[in-house]
């Protein structure tokens, strides 16, 4: 999410290969060169694909003097997004070359890359499985990947670029809570990163578990508020008497 104050990232940690094979994996990756750049990558889709992409990006960034360009030397966020897109396309192509053409869809992944490099403004990109990408802007100030339909209406109604980080976190928790209650493929804990514009250093990061007191308070209060709002609306009075 793009705010006037900076960028906000949140991801769940649930992966599944069927209802009887559910695991927890971190889906957020951070890179930092203090004073120069901060990059945050969120991933959704096939776990083997996303882990391969992140591993390749990490490996190619460990020795930037021998492997140029890398995320740590990219001159702009646009170029960094190009590198992530190329790496994702490379990994998926490897599966195709391995004779898995019929199963290619199972190995797809989608990613969100955001951050800031140098004096350029913070930017946010949505990277598709095919390796192409789009950028967040005034009309589309936030991106979602994975299961989106249950939490999106809340973001559409309540998003405001002037939100504080505290308010944005509350909004995202409500959005995720609505999603996990409707879809078993999404679950806590939730990882987050709050990046302050022009700081060029990692901001607050953390993990919110299912037993987190604040999460449970917000979840309960939101459910009660929805019920109260529904009760406050006028009843439908056009049902004929039996």
């Amino acid at each position: 999410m793009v705010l006037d104050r900076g960028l906000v990232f949140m991801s769940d940690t649930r992966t599944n290969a069927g209802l009887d094979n559910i695991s927890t994996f971190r889906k957020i990756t951070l890179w930092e060169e203090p004073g120069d750049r901060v990059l945050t990558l969120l991933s959704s889709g096939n776990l083997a694909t996303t882990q391969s992409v992140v591993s390749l990006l990490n490996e190619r960034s460990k020795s930037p003097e021998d492997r140029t360009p890398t995320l740590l030397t990219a001159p702009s966020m646009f170029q960094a997004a190009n590198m992530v897109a190329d790496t994702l396309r490379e990994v998926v192509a490897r599966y195709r070359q391995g004779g898995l053409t019929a199963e290619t869809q199972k190995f797809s992944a989608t990613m969100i890359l955001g951050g800031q490099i140098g004096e350029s403004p913070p930017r946010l990109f949505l990277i598709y499985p095919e390796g192409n990408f789009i950028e967040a802007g005034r009309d589309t100030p936030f991106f979602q990947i994975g299961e989106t339909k249950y939490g999106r209406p809340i973001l559409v109604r309540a998003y405001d670029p002037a939100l504080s980080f505290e308010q944005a976190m509350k909004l995202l928790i409500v959005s995720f809570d609505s999603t996990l209650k409707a879809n078993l493929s999404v679950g806590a804990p939730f990882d987050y990163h709050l990046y302050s514009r022009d700081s060029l250093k990692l901001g607050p990061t953390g993990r919110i578990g299912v037993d987190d007191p604040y999460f449970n308070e917000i979840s309960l209060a939101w459910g009660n508020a929805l019920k109260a709002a529904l009760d406050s609306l006028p009843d439908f009075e056009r049902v004929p008497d039996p």
Side-chain angles (χ1 to χ4, degrees), residues 141-234:
F142 60 83
F143 289 134
Q144 294 172 278
I145 54 179
E147 179 52 78
T148 63
K149 57 183 174 290
Y150 300 108
R152 180 175 177 81
I154 297 166
L155 299 179
V156 171
R157 285 178 177 271
Y159 168 84
D160 187 318
L163 288 173
S164 67
F165 281 156
E166 293 80 7
Q167 292 170 325
M169 285 292 293
K170 178 170 60 176
L171 174 59
L172 290 181
I173 287 173
V174 169
S175 178
F176 268 92
D177 179 62
S178 300
T179 302
L180 69 86
K181 280 182 167 54
N183 193 312
L184 291 175
S185 68
V186 177
F190 305 108
D191 294 317
Y192 65 88
H193 174 218
L194 312 176
Y195 173 71
S196 295
R197 177 184 294 268
D198 298 329
S199 66
L200 295 176
K201 64 180 181 179
L202 290 178
T205 61
R207 172 167 286 194
I208 300 173
V210 68
D211 57 348
D212 184 274
Y214 178 73
F215 173 79
N216 287 316
E217 178 184 359
I218 291 297
S219 177
L220 179 62
W222 177 248
N224 291 337
L226 284 177
K227 293 176 184 177
L230 182 62
D231 290 340
S232 70
L233 298 175

Side-chain angles (χ1 to χ4, degrees), residues 61-125:
S61 297
K62 287 179 180 178
S63 303
E65 68 277 3
D66 300 324
R67 301 174 183 270
T68 55
T70 74
L71 289 179
L72 299 183
T73 61
S76 68
M77 283 299 303
F78 180 83
Q79 291 299 326
N82 257 320
M83 292 175 198
V84 175
D86 289 344
T87 306
L88 176 58
R89 189 164 45 236
E90 173 188 340
V91 171
V92 174
R94 189 180 305 162
Y95 289 128
R96 289 198 182 101
Q97 294 169 0
L100 297 173
T101 305
E103 303 292 329
T104 296
Q105 188 61 33
K106 293 183 178 180
F107 296 99
S108 66
T110 308
M111 296 184 162
I112 294 174
L113 178 70
Q116 185 173 15
I117 295 178
E119 297 179 355
S120 298
R123 300 173 73 177
L124 189 68
F125 298 89

Side-chain angles (χ1 to χ4, degrees), residues 12-16 22-25 27 183-189:
D12 81 318
T13 54
R14 177 166 293 179
T15 64
N16 73 89
I22 296 176
S23 303
T24 297
F25 283 92
K27 301 178 185 177
N183 193 312
L184 291 175
S185 68
V186 177

